Amino acid sequence: MYAIECKNLTHYYGKKLVYENLSFNVEEGKILGLLGKNGTGKSTTINILNGFLQPFSGVCLIYGENTQTLTPETKRRIGFLIEGHIQYSFMNIHQIEKFYSGFYPDWNSAPYWELMSKLKVTPKQKISTMSCGQRSQVALGLILAQDPDLLILDDFSMGLDPGYRRLFIDYMREYAKAEHKTVFVTSHIIQDMERLIDDVMIMDYNKILAQQPVEQFMNTFRQFNITLNSPGQEVDLDGIAVNIEKVKDKIEFYTYSTEDEVKSYLASKGIDYSSFEERKMSLEDAFIGLTRKY
Amino acid sequence: MLKSILYKEWIKIRLVVWIALGLGLLALINIFLKVRHDILFVDAANYWYSFLFRGYTYFSVLKFLPFVIGLAVAIAQYFPETVNKRIKLTFHLPVSENGILIKMHAFGAVILLALFLLLLGLFTAGSAIFFPSNIIRASLLTMMPWFLGGMATYFLVALILLEPMWIFRGLYAAVAAGFVTIFFTGASIGAFSPVLLPLALITLVLSCVVLFSGYRFRKGEM
Amino acid sequence: MIKFSRYILVATGILVASIVLPSLFWTIFEKVPRSPNIFYSTITEDFVIVDGSKKKNPKGKEYTSEEYEKILPFMFFRQLMADGTMPDSINGVLMEAPSISRASSFYRYTPKRTDSPVPTLWPMFESQSGKVNLSMPEDYFRIEKRMEFIVARTNEVNEEKSSLFTSALAEEGFSFPAKIIAGIPTTRKSCDEGYFITDDAGALFHVKMIKGQPYVVRIETPEELDIVYIEAVDIRSREYYCYVFTRNKGIFVVMDEVYDLQRLPVDGFNPSIHTFRLTSDLFNKCITVMGSNWYEAIAIDDMYNVVATHGEEWEDLYERPDGKMFASIFPFEIRMRDDNSSFVRFYFKPSPGVRWLIVNLLALIAAVVLIIRRGWPLRSNIPDLLITAVTGVYGLIATQFFPNKFSKVKPPVKN
């Protein structure tokens, strides 16, 4: 059973293509991370999912309903964290809790107050005067109190210091797994992300570069470093590598091939190298390897 | 749910509403203290004369007050929604998007209307001390376009603020400026009476145009 | 609902554009319209037309300034007397300053008079106080269900005075409330003659106060007059009390003391659009009735007999170059104010002819091009195109200001 199904999404801004025929699903109970550099269409996808954007073609379904025309019942099952932890910052934490509780019959304020009790804020302090980290806790607390089945978190790590980011991720992971929640999260900061997500979807301009369980991706996507014997040699790695970085005689390349496959490929191309090394990568390394540095 | 919606709108506008009420009361107090003073000095008959035959409006300090109040309430209510596109939160609430916008807007309009009616009521009561019904009626007729203009300002500024694209905000503002100017064109006492009903009807239908901006926002004009 | 809200905005846009754009156009291009002044000369026994700085007779002969002053001796008698060129007598009548100035008067009626907000409270002066100067009364009257006097100082009705006047009116058969109340509500007049009032049935009354008592006269009108406006005048000759403008029978003056209604020899006068002027001197009155592009001048003697007439017609607004230009750009305009009224209204003025059709067609083509360039299907934009076809420039602007995002967009063509 899928919580989110997007089929053949195509969208343009003016004449600029964002993506074409993008399809993906999010299984219930899974945490999917949509990772990509700025401007690759993460926000576009979030906006389509929330019905704030009508794609040129294609359709997104949440719990079987077109996201352009979500019913209040379905919206009640979706928790939405806006990029930058935007909330009604003209309210204080009591007012905002009172406001939201009116919309959700199953409102459970306990986790909200638990998080709030850890913040060093005064009861009458407006959210606008809080730090970014404190605001993220307010936004998170509200979503937890709402107790939605699907959480859509848009670039939640933006502006958070490492401590708050780690706190947020660990709390979210534990909560989602314990309560069997589905989470759709986007981020352009990859650090710590492997602690949170089950599946990864890496987006580049106009296309999806990878879409698979994060464990599988980490196990199959590899980085190799070789040193050439003659720096001037023409090297053709296009057959196996998805990304190559060459500095003088040192070559870094990223591939889905195994060590054996790479070695036999190098031999078949007659490439003469002195050292050969596979580098262990974090998700962030892999992300940069896949999407290139620039 | 309605209670929650109104609660948030009230938090946004309450300060402006109290200030507006305060300003309105100050203006009224000023008007009637001045009338009392002038009547003592120039004699009531002469004071009436200047209204009847010289076109002197003792209430002209009220002219732009409804415009300012309408503008301020609209900004207080909708500007916080546009900062960081916060209206997304509102549209994400488990209610119909148009429904919630209509409720928010109706709340603002009703508060504004109540404020205006209160000020007009107090004005009428104060005028009744000094003037006969003929002068009060003519005064109210003369002020009516200003108060209608205040309502129209509220509706159009909401439209402008919720519009997601700056260029269109500018275009709407041009139309709004042209339209609102109609209400404030200088005219002799009672000169607006034939056009009050048409203007009131146009203002009434303008109450729903905020939905247009809301729709443009939801359909990704950004 | 949302589509509806867009059409409201488009309609508002058209309204604003059709007010603002024409007003801009006229500010830039409008030429001063012709507005001649016509006098009657007892000396030449002919009209004198003053058009801008030119003075001429109906045959086109131009006068110098000196000639002009000489043939209008009553208008310029102070100048002529100072110059020593004033004749001692004209038509056998001795020329003396007091009699000349007593006989001369000027009155002008514009259509605004009948279409203006009017006061509903009036001061009733004591017309025979025995004092030289008139004094402002302390109360004001209104005539609604009865005639009421309200004392300004207390803002209360003077019951005694009110019933006194109400019964005096009722005795003369006045049916309440009053329709038109006309008087001269100022102390700066030579004497007080009270008010000329029409009642609910349209009958004409003269009401004034003499030594605190009501004086009411029901004025016999010759026929069923549809009176639209009365103007009381304070002319030194005391020839008549007031002018009475009717919609059906022309213009009358109510003769002093005798209350005879003297009809002025003016036919086809429409008080809603025509201007009326009357200048009077020792021997003649010169009446000018003026429309937007014509006038009719009538000279009468002291017995109200016509002695001469003259008329002229010239290019109307839309026959002039500026008007023609307007009518070939804009299909109509809306004004909030009008020359013929003090009221604010939506004055809708369609442009004559069909020359604006070309601009409307161009606007329509522009709208089609814009729609196609955005990749919108024409079909779902038919209402916009219709609006543009009918309202031209205004519709084009309004539909672009409030764009139609309801039509499904075609993806751009890939290069």
Side-chain angles (χ1 to χ4, degrees):
Chain A
M1 184 63 190
Y2 293 121
I4 302 176
E5 288 171 88
C6 286
K7 295 171 205 159
N8 302 322
L9 291 182
T10 300
H11 195 71
Y12 294 83
Y13 279 126
K15 293 208 164 168
K16 188 175 161 275
L17 180 70
V18 182
Y19 40 60
E20 204 169 8
N21 286 326
L22 173 72
S23 298
F24 65 89
N25 303 318
V26 184
E27 229 175 282
E28 271 192 63
K30 290 279 186 179
I31 305 178
L32 176 95
L34 172 58
L35 311 180
K37 291 191 260 191
N38 281 327
T40 49
K42 295 190 305 292
S43 292
T44 306
T45 312
I46 290 277
N47 283 332
I48 291 171
L49 278 180
N50 283 296
F52 295 131
L53 186 65
Q54 193 162 19
F56 270 89
S57 62
V59 65
C60 271
L61 306 177
I62 291 183
Y63 296 119
E65 248 175 44
N66 189 331
T67 59
Q68 294 299 311
T69 52
L70 287 178
T71 59
E73 289 68 36
T74 302
K75 282 203 278 183
R76 191 169 284 135
R77 296 177 65 190
I78 307 170
F80 177 34
L81 185 81
I82 298 185
E83 189 176 347
H85 310 277
I86 304 302
Q87 263 304 342
Y88 297 115
S89 54
F90 45 83
M91 298 196 196
N92 61 40
I93 56 173
H94 291 269
Q95 291 170 329
I96 202 164
E97 195 269 339
K98 187 175 164 191
F99 168 69
Y100 275 110
S101 63
F103 291 96
Y104 301 99
D106 300 329
W107 186 259
N108 174 16
S109 59
Y112 176 78
W113 290 121
E114 194 193 320
L115 278 179
M116 290 309 104
S117 67
K118 292 181 189 148
L119 296 183
K120 290 172 185 66
V121 297
T122 59
K124 293 220 158 180
Q125 190 179 346
K126 281 189 179 164
I127 294 170
S128 57
T129 65
M130 295 179 186
S131 74
C132 193
Q134 289 172 325
R135 288 209 305 272
S136 74
Q137 296 296 293
V138 174
L140 178 64
L142 291 170
I143 287 182
L144 298 181
Q146 181 194 338
D147 196 27
D149 297 328
L150 168 64
L151 290 85
I152 296 175
L153 314 174
D154 190 9
D155 227 344
F156 68 86
S157 52
M158 206 163 93
L160 293 188
D161 4 317
Y164 269 118
R165 186 170 65 231
R166 187 61 73 80
L167 181 71
F168 193 105
I169 282 174
D170 292 347
Y171 203 112
M172 184 55 67
R173 171 92 195 169
E174 194 191 310
Y175 167 77
K177 287 303 156 192
E179 308 272 330
H180 195 69
K181 304 293 186 194
T182 312
V183 183
F184 182 89
V185 44
T186 74
S187 185
H188 69 282
I189 296 170
I190 320 299
Q191 221 183 332
D192 294 339
M193 202 56 83
E194 61 260 56
R195 299 170 73 99
L196 174 64
I197 60 180
D198 299 321
D199 296 314
V200 66
M201 189 157 92
I202 297 178
M203 206 171 221
D204 201 0
Y205 305 103
N206 302 354
K207 57 181 181 288
I208 295 281
L209 295 175
Q211 188 177 0
Q212 51 196 286
V214 71
E215 217 165 301
Q216 186 190 339
F217 174 67
M218 298 294 286
N219 286 336
T220 54
F221 191 62
R222 299 181 180 87
Q223 179 188 1
F224 295 100
N225 290 5
I226 57 173
T227 311
L228 296 176
N229 282 331
S230 45
Q233 192 185 357
E234 275 294 313
V235 180
D236 172 21
L237 294 172
D238 291 350
I240 48 164
V242 295
N243 186 11
I244 305 158
E245 310 260 353
K246 185 171 181 244
V247 182
K248 288 182 190 160
D249 56 347
K250 299 236 182 322
I251 294 182
E252 264 177 47
F253 63 92
Y254 301 87
T255 175
Y256 285 105
S257 309
T258 62
E259 190 177 332
D260 294 343
E261 284 164 355
V262 170
K263 279 184 171 160
S264 62
Y265 181 84
L266 292 174
S268 74
K269 290 282 173 182
I271 297 168
D272 190 16
Y273 53 90
S274 60
S275 73
F276 183 95
E277 181 197 2
E278 179 176 349
R279 286 280 286 273
K280 196 89 196 105
M281 287 193 293
S282 66
L283 181 60
E284 189 172 15
D285 298 330
F287 174 78
I288 295 169
L290 191 61
T291 61
R292 296 158 199 246
K293 287 173 185 153
Y294 44 86
Chain B
M1 243 178 301
L2 182 66
K3 229 175 97 186
S4 272
I5 295 169
L6 305 190
Y7 177 66
K8 173 167 77 81
E9 299 313 299
W10 179 237
I11 286 176
K12 284 187 288 182
I13 63 172
R14 58 187 175 183
L15 182 66
V16 166
V17 170
W18 293 131
I19 291 174
L21 182 63
L23 279 180
L25 292 178
L26 278 180
L28 289 178
I29 290 168
N30 171 283
I31 287 170
F32 292 115
L33 284 181
K34 194 166 179 312
V35 169
R36 197 187 133 269
H37 168 270
D38 291 355
I39 280 179
L40 285 177
F41 273 70
V42 303
D43 185 64
N46 287 323
Y47 197 79
W48 289 21
Y49 188 86
S50 59
F51 178 91
L52 292 166
F53 303 106
R54 295 257 178 273
Y56 172 73
T57 49
Y58 57 97
F59 44 79
S60 53
V61 67
L62 287 177
K63 184 163 184 178
F64 291 104
L65 190 70
F67 168 76
V68 172
I69 294 177
L71 184 72
V73 172
I75 290 175
Q77 200 180 355
Y78 290 102
F79 182 68
E81 301 283 350
T82 59
V83 175
N84 293 321
K85 305 214 157 102
R86 225 174 256 145
I87 188 87
K88 278 184 183 180
L89 292 168
T90 305
F91 287 145
H92 185 70
L93 291 168
V95 283
S96 114
E97 291 94 345
N98 281 332
I100 192 165
L101 198 51
I102 289 171
K103 282 167 195 146
M104 288 164 65
H105 207 49
F107 177 74
V110 165
I111 293 283
L112 198 59
L113 192 66
L115 190 61
F116 286 175
L117 288 178
L118 178 67
L119 292 179
L120 286 171
L122 290 173
F123 174 83
T124 308
S127 298
I129 301 170
F130 304 103
F131 304 112
S133 59
N134 307 58
I135 289 181
I136 299 173
R137 209 179 307 131
S139 301
L140 289 174
L141 271 180
T142 306
M143 288 194 294
M144 214 43 80
W146 307 342
F147 282 84
L148 276 177
M151 295 302 293
T153 303
Y154 170 75
F155 296 138
L156 289 170
V157 172
L159 168 90
I160 294 165
L161 285 176
L162 276 194
E163 161 63 41
M165 287 172 83
W166 272 103
I167 171 136
F168 284 102
R169 283 185 178 177
L171 298 179
Y172 298 176
V175 173
F179 183 68
V180 170
T181 306
I182 293 174
F183 294 90
F184 297 98
T185 37
S188 49
I189 291 170
F192 265 85
S193 41
V195 84
L196 279 180
L197 187 65
L199 281 178
L201 287 176
I202 298 176
T203 305
L204 187 70
V205 290
L206 280 176
S207 64
C208 76
V209 297
V210 74
L211 291 177
F212 180 69
S213 282
Y215 179 86
R216 279 173 57 79
F217 188 92
R218 293 195 340 259
K219 292 304 155 206
E221 282 293 340
M222 48 184 99
Chain C
M1 192 71 173
I2 294 158
K3 276 194 184 174
F4 175 67
S5 71
R6 176 175 177 260
Y7 286 117
I8 290 166
L9 287 168
V10 169
T12 310
I14 291 171
L15 173 71
V16 171
S18 62
I19 293 171
V20 173
L21 296 182
S23 130
L24 262 176
F25 176 93
W26 293 122
T27 314
I28 298 168
F29 296 108
E30 191 172 22
K31 300 269 188 303
V32 183
R34 226 187 125 193
S35 175
N37 277 312
I38 295 94
F39 304 99
Y40 184 74
S41 165
T42 312
I43 309 294
T44 61
E45 298 193 323
D46 204 350
F47 293 99
V48 183
I49 299 138
V50 182
D51 204 348
S53 59
K54 283 188 185 145
K55 292 110 183 164
K56 54 190 182 192
N57 75 1
K59 289 179 192 73
K61 179 186 178 294
E62 278 195 37
Y63 296 114
T64 64
S65 286
E66 288 74 26
E67 289 171 324
Y68 172 63
E69 284 172 10
K70 260 190 197 142
I71 57 173
L72 293 172
F74 303 116
M75 244 169 89
F76 298 103
F77 78 92
R78 281 176 216 282
Q79 183 65 46
L80 294 178
M81 279 178 168
D83 295 347
T85 49
M86 185 75 191
D88 293 338
S89 70
I90 295 173
N91 295 348
V93 178
L94 203 61
M95 289 298 107
E96 284 175 318
S99 57
I100 292 172
S101 61
R102 200 182 307 120
S104 57
S105 68
F106 174 75
Y107 174 72
R108 182 166 184 253
Y109 165 91
T110 62
K112 264 196 177 138
R113 303 289 182 98
T114 47
D115 203 28
S116 291
V118 285
T120 49
L121 290 171
W122 300 83
M124 181 66 83
F125 298 91
E126 170 56 56
S127 46
Q128 282 181 27
S129 63
K131 300 269 191 277
V132 179
N133 290 326
L134 288 166
S135 62
M136 205 62 202
E138 60 164 15
D139 54 13
Y140 287 81
F141 74 85
R142 63 185 175 203
I143 307 179
E144 288 162 5
K145 280 181 193 134
R146 55 175 189 154
M147 185 163 177
E148 280 177 316
F149 287 85
I150 304 153
V151 183
R153 195 168 34 78
T154 58
N155 194 21
E156 278 167 5
V157 175
N158 180 338
E159 283 297 337
E160 201 186 332
K161 196 172 176 185
S162 299
S163 6
L164 188 67
F165 274 79
T166 303
S167 42
L169 277 174
E171 257 171 52
E172 289 293 316
F174 189 94
S175 56
F176 292 90
K179 271 187 183 159
I180 300 169
I181 299 177
I184 308 173
T186 170
T187 52
R188 288 189 217 149
K189 53 185 177 183
S190 58
C191 69
D192 177 67
E193 285 298 347
Y195 289 87
F196 294 85
I197 301 171
T198 60
D199 70 356
D200 195 41
L204 182 60
F205 293 82
H206 184 199
V207 181
K208 60 180 173 179
M209 181 165 74
I210 299 174
K211 298 194 192 307
Q213 293 302 305
Y215 167 91
V216 181
V217 173
R218 187 188 179 106
I219 301 169
E220 290 308 319
T221 51
E223 302 116 305
E224 273 288 299
L225 293 188
D226 179 10
I227 301 175
V228 289
Y229 184 69
I230 302 170
E231 178 132 348
V233 288
D234 179 31
I235 51 174
R236 275 183 267 184
S237 64
R238 314 238 67 80
E239 190 177 351
Y240 42 82
Y241 289 123
C242 62
Y243 291 92
V244 174
F245 291 84
T246 71
R247 200 166 287 289
N248 56 347
K249 304 284 180 191
I251 306 159
F252 297 82
V253 286
V254 178
M255 305 309 284
D256 206 275
E257 305 252 323
V258 293
Y259 294 109
D260 282 346
L261 262 74
Q262 171 65 51
R263 188 176 184 278
L264 300 178
V266 172
D267 291 316
F269 184 78
N270 182 344
S272 300
I273 50 174
H274 296 156
T275 301
F276 167 90
R277 261 183 258 174
L278 187 146
T279 47
S280 167
D281 60 38
L282 263 180
F283 302 108
N284 300 100
K285 291 180 177 57
C286 177
I287 296 168
T288 317
V289 174
M290 203 175 280
S292 61
N293 66 325
W294 57 266
Y295 70 80
E296 182 73 43
I298 303 137
I300 55 179
D301 61 17
D302 51 5
M303 299 308 292
Y304 295 88
N305 297 315
V306 176
V307 292
T309 61
H310 172 64
E312 251 193 283
E313 201 174 330
W314 57 90
E315 280 180 332
D316 204 355
L317 172 65
Y318 294 110
E319 293 159 354
R320 282 163 21 196
D322 51 342
K324 269 186 190 163
M325 181 151 85
F326 181 90
S328 30
I329 300 173
F330 302 105
F332 61 89
E333 72 173 302
I334 292 173
R335 292 191 194 182
M336 299 312 294
R337 312 299 293 259
D338 188 83
D339 292 343
N340 292 337
S341 173
S342 298
F343 283 114
V344 177
R345 289 193 186 97
F346 291 113
Y347 295 97
F348 178 79
K349 295 186 184 295
S351 298
V354 289
R355 271 166 301 172
W356 45 267
L357 273 175
I358 296 166
V359 172
N360 277 28
L361 188 67
L362 290 176
L364 182 63
I365 292 168
V368 170
V369 169
L370 285 168
I371 288 165
I372 290 173
R373 272 184 46 181
R374 287 192 190 116
W376 298 350
L378 280 177
R379 249 197 126 128
S380 55
N381 285 287
I382 286 173
D384 277 19
L385 295 177
L386 280 176
I387 289 168
T388 310
V390 174
T391 61
V393 188
Y394 310 137
L396 180 66
I397 291 172
T399 51
Q400 297 310 311
F401 272 36
F402 302 101
N404 182 12
K405 289 296 283 187
F406 306 106
S407 53
K408 189 80 185 162
V409 183
K410 282 185 255 172
V413 185
K414 268 173 274 176
N415 307 324

